[in-house]
Amino acid sequence: MAEIKLIHHAKGAPGLRLFGLGPRMRPLKGMLKLKRLLDDHAFWAHGRSKKDLETILANSSVVVSLWKEDKMIGFGRATSDSIYRAVLWDIVVANEYQSKGLGSKIVNALLDSPCIKKVERVYLMTTHCSNFYLQMGFKVSTQQTLLIKEIEENN
Ligand SMILES: CC(C)(COP(=O)(O)OP(=O)(O)OC[C@H]1O[C@@H](n2cnc3c(N)ncnc32)[C@H](O)[C@@H]1OP(=O)(O)O)[C@@H](O)C(=O)NCCC(=O)NCCS
């Protein structure tokens, strides 16, 4: 079976964002592959444009992607102030590769990155996967309330 490679991208993922680089710095249309992965396996990120994905990568503190040969099979990113707070975003593993420890590998790679490993607290929002994060040491918050303000488009 082909090896599965985890890539720690540089801050803002310039190689992936600007040149579509995958493993061994090969140009593999990485942004199209990221779009396809999110469209197919991440219900909250379905239909995001390539341009918007480039912007969120540019503004992410940590980005990791998981590849099997030329195929992107997993992804995760985080924003962090490096001292107090970090938030994990867009953690996804393609269906056919789930339940093999790859989701945990992505989360651990994010948590171990220099700008996250010393923060006081890491936040994470999930709709259906709390059990996954509970078994990774996250706890359900009983003291805080999640508040959301929807910002209208073109305000
Ligand atoms: C959540 C996700 C990243 C986990 O990836 P994974 O590679 O399957 O995770 P691991 O193999 O490291 O861990 C699997 C364990 O996590 C738990 N788990 C995984 N997915 C779960 C889910 N959807 N609901 C509840 N528990 C889940 C189970 O305990 C599972 O163990 P099992 O396979 O023996 O039952 C993956 O299921 C996924 O991409 N789901 C779709 C996208 C998504 O909803 N992402 C979460 C955004 S917050």
PDB file of all heavy atoms in Angstrom, residues 41-44 90-95 97-106 124-133 135-136, ligand 1:
ATOM      1  N   HIS A  41     -16.385  15.984   1.373  1.00  0.00           N
ATOM      2  CA  HIS A  41     -16.354  15.339   2.694  1.00  0.00           C
ATOM      3  C   HIS A  41     -16.564  16.280   3.873  1.00  0.00           C
ATOM      4  O   HIS A  41     -16.513  15.836   5.018  1.00  0.00           O
ATOM      5  CB  HIS A  41     -15.014  14.596   2.882  1.00  0.00           C
ATOM      6  CG  HIS A  41     -14.757  13.586   1.805  1.00  0.00           C
ATOM      7  ND1 HIS A  41     -15.367  12.347   1.767  1.00  0.00           N
ATOM      8  CD2 HIS A  41     -13.976  13.640   0.703  1.00  0.00           C
ATOM      9  CE1 HIS A  41     -14.968  11.688   0.697  1.00  0.00           C
ATOM     10  NE2 HIS A  41     -14.119  12.449   0.034  1.00  0.00           N
ATOM     11  N   ALA A  42     -16.752  17.568   3.616  1.00  0.00           N
ATOM     12  CA  ALA A  42     -16.924  18.524   4.721  1.00  0.00           C
ATOM     13  C   ALA A  42     -18.173  19.353   4.449  1.00  0.00           C
ATOM     14  O   ALA A  42     -18.110  20.322   3.691  1.00  0.00           O
ATOM     15  CB  ALA A  42     -15.684  19.416   4.845  1.00  0.00           C
ATOM     16  N   PHE A  43     -19.304  18.968   5.048  1.00  0.00           N
ATOM     17  CA  PHE A  43     -20.590  19.591   4.690  1.00  0.00           C
ATOM     18  C   PHE A  43     -20.581  21.106   4.911  1.00  0.00           C
ATOM     19  O   PHE A  43     -21.212  21.862   4.181  1.00  0.00           O
ATOM     20  CB  PHE A  43     -21.743  18.937   5.469  1.00  0.00           C
ATOM     21  CG  PHE A  43     -21.723  19.239   6.949  1.00  0.00           C
ATOM     22  CD1 PHE A  43     -22.383  20.358   7.439  1.00  0.00           C
ATOM     23  CD2 PHE A  43     -21.032  18.425   7.840  1.00  0.00           C
ATOM     24  CE1 PHE A  43     -22.356  20.652   8.797  1.00  0.00           C
ATOM     25  CE2 PHE A  43     -20.995  18.724   9.188  1.00  0.00           C
ATOM     26  CZ  PHE A  43     -21.658  19.846   9.672  1.00  0.00           C
ATOM     27  N   TRP A  44     -19.860  21.600   5.932  1.00  0.00           N
ATOM     28  CA  TRP A  44     -19.861  23.034   6.248  1.00  0.00           C
ATOM     29  C   TRP A  44     -19.012  23.842   5.265  1.00  0.00           C
ATOM     30  O   TRP A  44     -19.130  25.066   5.203  1.00  0.00           O
ATOM     31  CB  TRP A  44     -19.348  23.263   7.677  1.00  0.00           C
ATOM     32  CG  TRP A  44     -17.902  22.909   7.813  1.00  0.00           C
ATOM     33  CD1 TRP A  44     -16.840  23.749   7.663  1.00  0.00           C
ATOM     34  CD2 TRP A  44     -17.358  21.615   8.054  1.00  0.00           C
ATOM     35  NE1 TRP A  44     -15.669  23.050   7.801  1.00  0.00           N
ATOM     36  CE2 TRP A  44     -15.963  21.734   8.038  1.00  0.00           C
ATOM     37  CE3 TRP A  44     -17.916  20.346   8.282  1.00  0.00           C
ATOM     38  CZ2 TRP A  44     -15.111  20.639   8.241  1.00  0.00           C
ATOM     39  CZ3 TRP A  44     -17.070  19.266   8.480  1.00  0.00           C
ATOM     40  CH2 TRP A  44     -15.698  19.425   8.459  1.00  0.00           C
ATOM     41  N   ASP A  90     -11.787  23.159  10.039  1.00  0.00           N
ATOM     42  CA  ASP A  90     -11.799  22.374   8.782  1.00  0.00           C
ATOM     43  C   ASP A  90     -10.983  21.078   8.865  1.00  0.00           C
ATOM     44  O   ASP A  90     -10.160  20.786   7.986  1.00  0.00           O
ATOM     45  CB  ASP A  90     -11.279  23.233   7.615  1.00  0.00           C
ATOM     46  CG  ASP A  90     -12.125  24.477   7.383  1.00  0.00           C
ATOM     47  OD1 ASP A  90     -13.325  24.435   7.693  1.00  0.00           O
ATOM     48  OD2 ASP A  90     -11.580  25.497   6.896  1.00  0.00           O
ATOM     49  N   ILE A  91     -11.215  20.307   9.926  1.00  0.00           N
ATOM     50  CA  ILE A  91     -10.535  19.005  10.044  1.00  0.00           C
ATOM     51  C   ILE A  91     -11.335  17.984   9.238  1.00  0.00           C
ATOM     52  O   ILE A  91     -12.532  17.788   9.494  1.00  0.00           O
ATOM     53  CB  ILE A  91     -10.515  18.518  11.521  1.00  0.00           C
ATOM     54  CG1 ILE A  91     -10.087  19.619  12.493  1.00  0.00           C
ATOM     55  CG2 ILE A  91      -9.697  17.242  11.651  1.00  0.00           C
ATOM     56  CD1 ILE A  91      -8.658  19.986  12.453  1.00  0.00           C
ATOM     57  N   VAL A  92     -10.690  17.347   8.298  1.00  0.00           N
ATOM     58  CA  VAL A  92     -11.434  16.389   7.460  1.00  0.00           C
ATOM     59  C   VAL A  92     -10.523  15.278   6.945  1.00  0.00           C
ATOM     60  O   VAL A  92      -9.349  15.502   6.631  1.00  0.00           O
ATOM     61  CB  VAL A  92     -12.141  17.136   6.284  1.00  0.00           C
ATOM     62  CG1 VAL A  92     -11.161  17.879   5.420  1.00  0.00           C
ATOM     63  CG2 VAL A  92     -12.971  16.193   5.448  1.00  0.00           C
ATOM     64  N   VAL A  93     -11.103  14.058   6.905  1.00  0.00           N
ATOM     65  CA  VAL A  93     -10.437  12.903   6.284  1.00  0.00           C
ATOM     66  C   VAL A  93     -11.444  12.326   5.284  1.00  0.00           C
ATOM     67  O   VAL A  93     -12.636  12.183   5.616  1.00  0.00           O
ATOM     68  CB  VAL A  93     -10.079  11.831   7.351  1.00  0.00           C
ATOM     69  CG1 VAL A  93      -9.557  10.553   6.691  1.00  0.00           C
ATOM     70  CG2 VAL A  93      -9.047  12.378   8.333  1.00  0.00           C
ATOM     71  N   ALA A  94     -11.011  12.039   4.070  1.00  0.00           N
ATOM     72  CA  ALA A  94     -11.918  11.472   3.061  1.00  0.00           C
ATOM     73  C   ALA A  94     -12.544  10.184   3.607  1.00  0.00           C
ATOM     74  O   ALA A  94     -11.859   9.387   4.263  1.00  0.00           O
ATOM     75  CB  ALA A  94     -11.149  11.194   1.771  1.00  0.00           C
ATOM     76  N   ASN A  95     -13.831  10.005   3.313  1.00  0.00           N
ATOM     77  CA  ASN A  95     -14.591   8.864   3.886  1.00  0.00           C
ATOM     78  C   ASN A  95     -13.845   7.544   3.869  1.00  0.00           C
ATOM     79  O   ASN A  95     -13.777   6.841   4.871  1.00  0.00           O
ATOM     80  CB  ASN A  95     -15.874   8.630   3.068  1.00  0.00           C
ATOM     81  CG  ASN A  95     -16.921   9.669   3.368  1.00  0.00           C
ATOM     82  OD1 ASN A  95     -16.699  10.528   4.231  1.00  0.00           O
ATOM     83  ND2 ASN A  95     -18.031   9.631   2.666  1.00  0.00           N
ATOM     84  N   TYR A  97     -10.925   6.759   3.949  1.00  0.00           N
ATOM     85  CA  TYR A  97      -9.707   6.633   4.769  1.00  0.00           C
ATOM     86  C   TYR A  97      -9.980   6.869   6.253  1.00  0.00           C
ATOM     87  O   TYR A  97      -9.051   6.922   7.054  1.00  0.00           O
ATOM     88  CB  TYR A  97      -8.635   7.622   4.274  1.00  0.00           C
ATOM     89  CG  TYR A  97      -8.178   7.317   2.866  1.00  0.00           C
ATOM     90  CD1 TYR A  97      -8.728   7.987   1.792  1.00  0.00           C
ATOM     91  CD2 TYR A  97      -7.241   6.314   2.635  1.00  0.00           C
ATOM     92  CE1 TYR A  97      -8.344   7.687   0.492  1.00  0.00           C
ATOM     93  CE2 TYR A  97      -6.847   6.010   1.346  1.00  0.00           C
ATOM     94  CZ  TYR A  97      -7.401   6.696   0.271  1.00  0.00           C
ATOM     95  OH  TYR A  97      -7.011   6.379  -1.000  1.00  0.00           O
ATOM     96  N   GLN A  98     -11.242   7.010   6.624  1.00  0.00           N
ATOM     97  CA  GLN A  98     -11.571   7.274   8.034  1.00  0.00           C
ATOM     98  C   GLN A  98     -11.404   6.014   8.880  1.00  0.00           C
ATOM     99  O   GLN A  98     -11.315   4.903   8.367  1.00  0.00           O
ATOM    100  CB  GLN A  98     -13.012   7.798   8.150  1.00  0.00           C
ATOM    101  CG  GLN A  98     -13.136   9.213   7.585  1.00  0.00           C
ATOM    102  CD  GLN A  98     -14.554   9.770   7.594  1.00  0.00           C
ATOM    103  OE1 GLN A  98     -15.452   9.180   8.184  1.00  0.00           O
ATOM    104  NE2 GLN A  98     -14.753  10.892   6.931  1.00  0.00           N
ATOM    105  N   SER A  99     -11.328   6.210  10.204  1.00  0.00           N
ATOM    106  CA  SER A  99     -11.199   5.124  11.188  1.00  0.00           C
ATOM    107  C   SER A  99      -9.882   4.363  11.067  1.00  0.00           C
ATOM    108  O   SER A  99      -9.820   3.176  11.365  1.00  0.00           O
ATOM    109  CB  SER A  99     -12.367   4.125  11.074  1.00  0.00           C
ATOM    110  OG  SER A  99     -13.557   4.771  11.436  1.00  0.00           O
ATOM    111  N   LYS A 100      -8.840   5.051  10.568  1.00  0.00           N
ATOM    112  CA  LYS A 100      -7.505   4.431  10.498  1.00  0.00           C
ATOM    113  C   LYS A 100      -6.505   5.258  11.290  1.00  0.00           C
ATOM    114  O   LYS A 100      -5.301   5.150  11.098  1.00  0.00           O
ATOM    115  CB  LYS A 100      -7.029   4.346   9.039  1.00  0.00           C
ATOM    116  CG  LYS A 100      -7.908   3.531   8.115  1.00  0.00           C
ATOM    117  CD  LYS A 100      -7.379   3.638   6.683  1.00  0.00           C
ATOM    118  CE  LYS A 100      -8.329   3.136   5.633  1.00  0.00           C
ATOM    119  NZ  LYS A 100      -8.756   1.749   5.773  1.00  0.00           N
ATOM    120  N   GLY A 101      -7.005   6.164  12.114  1.00  0.00           N
ATOM    121  CA  GLY A 101      -6.100   6.989  12.926  1.00  0.00           C
ATOM    122  C   GLY A 101      -5.625   8.254  12.239  1.00  0.00           C
ATOM    123  O   GLY A 101      -4.813   9.001  12.790  1.00  0.00           O
ATOM    124  N   LEU A 102      -6.128   8.523  11.014  1.00  0.00           N
ATOM    125  CA  LEU A 102      -5.603   9.676  10.272  1.00  0.00           C
ATOM    126  C   LEU A 102      -6.148  11.007  10.794  1.00  0.00           C
ATOM    127  O   LEU A 102      -5.420  12.008  10.848  1.00  0.00           O
ATOM    128  CB  LEU A 102      -5.907   9.529   8.775  1.00  0.00           C
ATOM    129  CG  LEU A 102      -5.247   8.311   8.113  1.00  0.00           C
ATOM    130  CD1 LEU A 102      -5.691   8.185   6.659  1.00  0.00           C
ATOM    131  CD2 LEU A 102      -3.722   8.423   8.203  1.00  0.00           C
ATOM    132  N   GLY A 103      -7.403  11.018  11.230  1.00  0.00           N
ATOM    133  CA  GLY A 103      -7.956  12.243  11.827  1.00  0.00           C
ATOM    134  C   GLY A 103      -7.164  12.633  13.068  1.00  0.00           C
ATOM    135  O   GLY A 103      -6.812  13.803  13.265  1.00  0.00           O
ATOM    136  N   SER A 104      -6.838  11.633  13.911  1.00  0.00           N
ATOM    137  CA  SER A 104      -6.040  11.910  15.122  1.00  0.00           C
ATOM    138  C   SER A 104      -4.670  12.443  14.729  1.00  0.00           C
ATOM    139  O   SER A 104      -4.115  13.336  15.382  1.00  0.00           O
ATOM    140  CB  SER A 104      -5.851  10.635  15.950  1.00  0.00           C
ATOM    141  OG  SER A 104      -7.085   9.991  16.109  1.00  0.00           O
ATOM    142  N   LYS A 105      -4.117  11.901  13.663  1.00  0.00           N
ATOM    143  CA  LYS A 105      -2.793  12.347  13.207  1.00  0.00           C
ATOM    144  C   LYS A 105      -2.836  13.829  12.807  1.00  0.00           C
ATOM    145  O   LYS A 105      -1.927  14.600  13.132  1.00  0.00           O
ATOM    146  CB  LYS A 105      -2.404  11.477  12.004  1.00  0.00           C
ATOM    147  CG  LYS A 105      -0.965  11.481  11.658  1.00  0.00           C
ATOM    148  CD  LYS A 105      -0.721  10.401  10.612  1.00  0.00           C
ATOM    149  CE  LYS A 105       0.650  10.611  10.041  1.00  0.00           C
ATOM    150  NZ  LYS A 105       1.297   9.431   9.600  1.00  0.00           N
ATOM    151  N   ILE A 106      -3.889  14.223  12.122  1.00  0.00           N
ATOM    152  CA  ILE A 106      -4.035  15.633  11.702  1.00  0.00           C
ATOM    153  C   ILE A 106      -4.166  16.528  12.932  1.00  0.00           C
ATOM    154  O   ILE A 106      -3.467  17.543  13.055  1.00  0.00           O
ATOM    155  CB  ILE A 106      -5.262  15.792  10.773  1.00  0.00           C
ATOM    156  CG1 ILE A 106      -4.990  15.122   9.424  1.00  0.00           C
ATOM    157  CG2 ILE A 106      -5.625  17.267  10.585  1.00  0.00           C
ATOM    158  CD1 ILE A 106      -6.181  15.048   8.502  1.00  0.00           C
ATOM    159  N   LEU A 124     -12.548  24.410  19.698  1.00  0.00           N
ATOM    160  CA  LEU A 124     -12.918  23.620  18.547  1.00  0.00           C
ATOM    161  C   LEU A 124     -14.438  23.548  18.501  1.00  0.00           C
ATOM    162  O   LEU A 124     -15.056  23.354  19.547  1.00  0.00           O
ATOM    163  CB  LEU A 124     -12.289  22.237  18.789  1.00  0.00           C
ATOM    164  CG  LEU A 124     -12.534  21.048  17.900  1.00  0.00           C
ATOM    165  CD1 LEU A 124     -13.712  20.255  18.243  1.00  0.00           C
ATOM    166  CD2 LEU A 124     -12.448  21.415  16.433  1.00  0.00           C
ATOM    167  N   MET A 125     -15.029  23.787  17.349  1.00  0.00           N
ATOM    168  CA  MET A 125     -16.491  23.650  17.231  1.00  0.00           C
ATOM    169  C   MET A 125     -16.812  22.467  16.336  1.00  0.00           C
ATOM    170  O   MET A 125     -16.198  22.324  15.272  1.00  0.00           O
ATOM    171  CB  MET A 125     -17.087  24.902  16.599  1.00  0.00           C
ATOM    172  CG  MET A 125     -17.210  26.047  17.562  1.00  0.00           C
ATOM    173  SD  MET A 125     -16.878  27.607  16.764  1.00  0.00           S
ATOM    174  CE  MET A 125     -15.135  27.794  17.062  1.00  0.00           C
ATOM    175  N   THR A 126     -17.744  21.625  16.749  1.00  0.00           N
ATOM    176  CA  THR A 126     -18.100  20.481  15.919  1.00  0.00           C
ATOM    177  C   THR A 126     -19.601  20.244  15.962  1.00  0.00           C
ATOM    178  O   THR A 126     -20.237  20.492  16.984  1.00  0.00           O
ATOM    179  CB  THR A 126     -17.335  19.207  16.347  1.00  0.00           C
ATOM    180  OG1 THR A 126     -17.676  18.147  15.450  1.00  0.00           O
ATOM    181  CG2 THR A 126     -17.646  18.777  17.774  1.00  0.00           C
ATOM    182  N   THR A 127     -20.139  19.765  14.853  1.00  0.00           N
ATOM    183  CA  THR A 127     -21.578  19.484  14.788  1.00  0.00           C
ATOM    184  C   THR A 127     -21.859  18.022  15.131  1.00  0.00           C
ATOM    185  O   THR A 127     -22.751  17.730  15.914  1.00  0.00           O
ATOM    186  CB  THR A 127     -22.116  19.806  13.366  1.00  0.00           C
ATOM    187  OG1 THR A 127     -21.685  21.115  13.009  1.00  0.00           O
ATOM    188  CG2 THR A 127     -23.628  19.747  13.309  1.00  0.00           C
ATOM    189  N   HIS A 128     -21.063  17.113  14.535  1.00  0.00           N
ATOM    190  CA  HIS A 128     -21.385  15.684  14.704  1.00  0.00           C
ATOM    191  C   HIS A 128     -20.258  14.868  15.314  1.00  0.00           C
ATOM    192  O   HIS A 128     -20.441  13.654  15.523  1.00  0.00           O
ATOM    193  CB  HIS A 128     -21.679  15.039  13.330  1.00  0.00           C
ATOM    194  CG  HIS A 128     -22.750  15.727  12.550  1.00  0.00           C
ATOM    195  ND1 HIS A 128     -24.044  15.832  13.001  1.00  0.00           N
ATOM    196  CD2 HIS A 128     -22.728  16.350  11.342  1.00  0.00           C
ATOM    197  CE1 HIS A 128     -24.767  16.485  12.104  1.00  0.00           C
ATOM    198  NE2 HIS A 128     -23.983  16.812  11.092  1.00  0.00           N
ATOM    199  N   CYS A 129     -19.100  15.452  15.544  1.00  0.00           N
ATOM    200  CA  CYS A 129     -17.940  14.604  15.849  1.00  0.00           C
ATOM    201  C   CYS A 129     -17.382  14.791  17.251  1.00  0.00           C
ATOM    202  O   CYS A 129     -16.181  14.594  17.465  1.00  0.00           O
ATOM    203  CB  CYS A 129     -16.832  14.845  14.818  1.00  0.00           C
ATOM    204  SG  CYS A 129     -17.340  14.364  13.180  1.00  0.00           S
ATOM    205  N   SER A 130     -18.242  15.156  18.237  1.00  0.00           N
ATOM    206  CA  SER A 130     -17.668  15.376  19.579  1.00  0.00           C
ATOM    207  C   SER A 130     -16.930  14.152  20.105  1.00  0.00           C
ATOM    208  O   SER A 130     -15.911  14.299  20.778  1.00  0.00           O
ATOM    209  CB  SER A 130     -18.703  15.812  20.603  1.00  0.00           C
ATOM    210  OG  SER A 130     -19.944  15.904  20.092  1.00  0.00           O
ATOM    211  N   ASN A 131     -17.447  12.953  19.785  1.00  0.00           N
ATOM    212  CA  ASN A 131     -16.770  11.758  20.329  1.00  0.00           C
ATOM    213  C   ASN A 131     -15.329  11.652  19.869  1.00  0.00           C
ATOM    214  O   ASN A 131     -14.448  11.240  20.616  1.00  0.00           O
ATOM    215  CB  ASN A 131     -17.508  10.475  19.931  1.00  0.00           C
ATOM    216  CG  ASN A 131     -18.768  10.320  20.751  1.00  0.00           C
ATOM    217  OD1 ASN A 131     -18.929  11.022  21.754  1.00  0.00           O
ATOM    218  ND2 ASN A 131     -19.655   9.443  20.327  1.00  0.00           N
ATOM    219  N   PHE A 132     -15.103  12.036  18.625  1.00  0.00           N
ATOM    220  CA  PHE A 132     -13.745  12.009  18.096  1.00  0.00           C
ATOM    221  C   PHE A 132     -12.842  12.914  18.927  1.00  0.00           C
ATOM    222  O   PHE A 132     -11.754  12.524  19.346  1.00  0.00           O
ATOM    223  CB  PHE A 132     -13.767  12.435  16.618  1.00  0.00           C
ATOM    224  CG  PHE A 132     -12.408  12.714  16.037  1.00  0.00           C
ATOM    225  CD1 PHE A 132     -11.468  11.704  15.892  1.00  0.00           C
ATOM    226  CD2 PHE A 132     -12.067  14.002  15.630  1.00  0.00           C
ATOM    227  CE1 PHE A 132     -10.210  11.973  15.362  1.00  0.00           C
ATOM    228  CE2 PHE A 132     -10.827  14.274  15.092  1.00  0.00           C
ATOM    229  CZ  PHE A 132      -9.893  13.255  14.962  1.00  0.00           C
ATOM    230  N   TYR A 133     -13.306  14.139  19.224  1.00  0.00           N
ATOM    231  CA  TYR A 133     -12.471  15.085  19.971  1.00  0.00           C
ATOM    232  C   TYR A 133     -12.397  14.720  21.449  1.00  0.00           C
ATOM    233  O   TYR A 133     -11.370  14.955  22.090  1.00  0.00           O
ATOM    234  CB  TYR A 133     -12.981  16.510  19.758  1.00  0.00           C
ATOM    235  CG  TYR A 133     -12.819  16.940  18.312  1.00  0.00           C
ATOM    236  CD1 TYR A 133     -13.905  16.971  17.445  1.00  0.00           C
ATOM    237  CD2 TYR A 133     -11.558  17.243  17.807  1.00  0.00           C
ATOM    238  CE1 TYR A 133     -13.738  17.321  16.112  1.00  0.00           C
ATOM    239  CE2 TYR A 133     -11.382  17.590  16.481  1.00  0.00           C
ATOM    240  CZ  TYR A 133     -12.476  17.630  15.635  1.00  0.00           C
ATOM    241  OH  TYR A 133     -12.302  17.968  14.318  1.00  0.00           O
ATOM    242  N   GLN A 135     -12.226  11.705  22.655  1.00  0.00           N
ATOM    243  CA  GLN A 135     -11.191  10.677  22.802  1.00  0.00           C
ATOM    244  C   GLN A 135      -9.793  11.244  22.543  1.00  0.00           C
ATOM    245  O   GLN A 135      -8.796  10.592  22.795  1.00  0.00           O
ATOM    246  CB  GLN A 135     -11.488   9.425  21.944  1.00  0.00           C
ATOM    247  CG  GLN A 135     -11.821   9.685  20.494  1.00  0.00           C
ATOM    248  CD  GLN A 135     -10.723   9.283  19.536  1.00  0.00           C
ATOM    249  OE1 GLN A 135     -10.052   8.298  19.736  1.00  0.00           O
ATOM    250  NE2 GLN A 135     -10.542  10.042  18.468  1.00  0.00           N
ATOM    251  N   MET A 136      -9.727  12.524  22.085  1.00  0.00           N
ATOM    252  CA  MET A 136      -8.414  13.163  21.905  1.00  0.00           C
ATOM    253  C   MET A 136      -8.095  14.126  23.048  1.00  0.00           C
ATOM    254  O   MET A 136      -7.159  14.912  22.966  1.00  0.00           O
ATOM    255  CB  MET A 136      -8.391  13.922  20.590  1.00  0.00           C
ATOM    256  CG  MET A 136      -8.533  13.001  19.404  1.00  0.00           C
ATOM    257  SD  MET A 136      -7.573  13.584  18.016  1.00  0.00           S
ATOM    258  CE  MET A 136      -5.921  13.580  18.624  1.00  0.00           C
TER     259      MET A 136
HETATM  260  C1  LIG B   1     -13.874  13.513  12.314  1.00  0.00           C
HETATM  261  C2  LIG B   1     -12.846  12.854  11.409  1.00  0.00           C
HETATM  262  C3  LIG B   1     -11.825  13.895  10.969  1.00  0.00           C
HETATM  263  C4  LIG B   1     -12.157  11.730  12.158  1.00  0.00           C
HETATM  264  O1  LIG B   1     -11.178  11.175  11.297  1.00  0.00           O
HETATM  265  P1  LIG B   1     -10.761   9.620  11.412  1.00  0.00           P
HETATM  266  O2  LIG B   1      -9.585   9.442  10.532  1.00  0.00           O
HETATM  267  O3  LIG B   1     -11.923   8.771  11.169  1.00  0.00           O
HETATM  268  O4  LIG B   1     -10.355   9.576  12.935  1.00  0.00           O
HETATM  269  P2  LIG B   1      -9.464   8.484  13.697  1.00  0.00           P
HETATM  270  O5  LIG B   1      -9.387   7.232  12.889  1.00  0.00           O
HETATM  271  O6  LIG B   1      -8.205   9.121  14.136  1.00  0.00           O
HETATM  272  O7  LIG B   1     -10.340   8.260  15.005  1.00  0.00           O
HETATM  273  C5  LIG B   1     -11.449   7.509  14.847  1.00  0.00           C
HETATM  274  C6  LIG B   1     -12.245   7.499  16.151  1.00  0.00           C
HETATM  275  O8  LIG B   1     -12.825   8.795  16.374  1.00  0.00           O
HETATM  276  C7  LIG B   1     -14.208   8.657  16.673  1.00  0.00           C
HETATM  277  N1  LIG B   1     -14.933   9.226  15.541  1.00  0.00           N
HETATM  278  C8  LIG B   1     -14.474   9.430  14.288  1.00  0.00           C
HETATM  279  N2  LIG B   1     -15.436  10.010  13.537  1.00  0.00           N
HETATM  280  C9  LIG B   1     -16.485  10.194  14.347  1.00  0.00           C
HETATM  281  C10 LIG B   1     -17.783  10.746  14.163  1.00  0.00           C
HETATM  282  N3  LIG B   1     -18.197  11.233  12.980  1.00  0.00           N
HETATM  283  N4  LIG B   1     -18.621  10.759  15.210  1.00  0.00           N
HETATM  284  C11 LIG B   1     -18.202  10.272  16.391  1.00  0.00           C
HETATM  285  N5  LIG B   1     -17.011   9.707  16.630  1.00  0.00           N
HETATM  286  C12 LIG B   1     -16.153   9.686  15.613  1.00  0.00           C
HETATM  287  C13 LIG B   1     -14.462   7.186  16.878  1.00  0.00           C
HETATM  288  O9  LIG B   1     -14.182   6.879  18.229  1.00  0.00           O
HETATM  289  C14 LIG B   1     -13.416   6.566  16.003  1.00  0.00           C
HETATM  290  O10 LIG B   1     -13.017   5.303  16.404  1.00  0.00           O
HETATM  291  P3  LIG B   1     -13.528   4.029  15.565  1.00  0.00           P
HETATM  292  O11 LIG B   1     -13.120   4.281  14.145  1.00  0.00           O
HETATM  293  O12 LIG B   1     -12.783   2.905  16.181  1.00  0.00           O
HETATM  294  O13 LIG B   1     -14.992   4.003  15.771  1.00  0.00           O
HETATM  295  C15 LIG B   1     -13.515  12.212  10.160  1.00  0.00           C
HETATM  296  O14 LIG B   1     -14.539  11.372  10.612  1.00  0.00           O
HETATM  297  C16 LIG B   1     -14.125  13.211   9.187  1.00  0.00           C
HETATM  298  O15 LIG B   1     -13.414  13.785   8.379  1.00  0.00           O
HETATM  299  N6  LIG B   1     -15.448  13.378   9.226  1.00  0.00           N
HETATM  300  C17 LIG B   1     -16.130  14.235   8.263  1.00  0.00           C
HETATM  301  C18 LIG B   1     -15.768  15.675   8.439  1.00  0.00           C
HETATM  302  C19 LIG B   1     -16.062  16.166   9.823  1.00  0.00           C
HETATM  303  O16 LIG B   1     -17.217  16.130  10.275  1.00  0.00           O
HETATM  304  N7  LIG B   1     -15.016  16.699  10.483  1.00  0.00           N
HETATM  305  C20 LIG B   1     -15.114  17.249  11.842  1.00  0.00           C
HETATM  306  C21 LIG B   1     -15.167  18.712  11.796  1.00  0.00           C
HETATM  307  S1  LIG B   1     -15.280  19.401  13.428  1.00  0.00           S
END
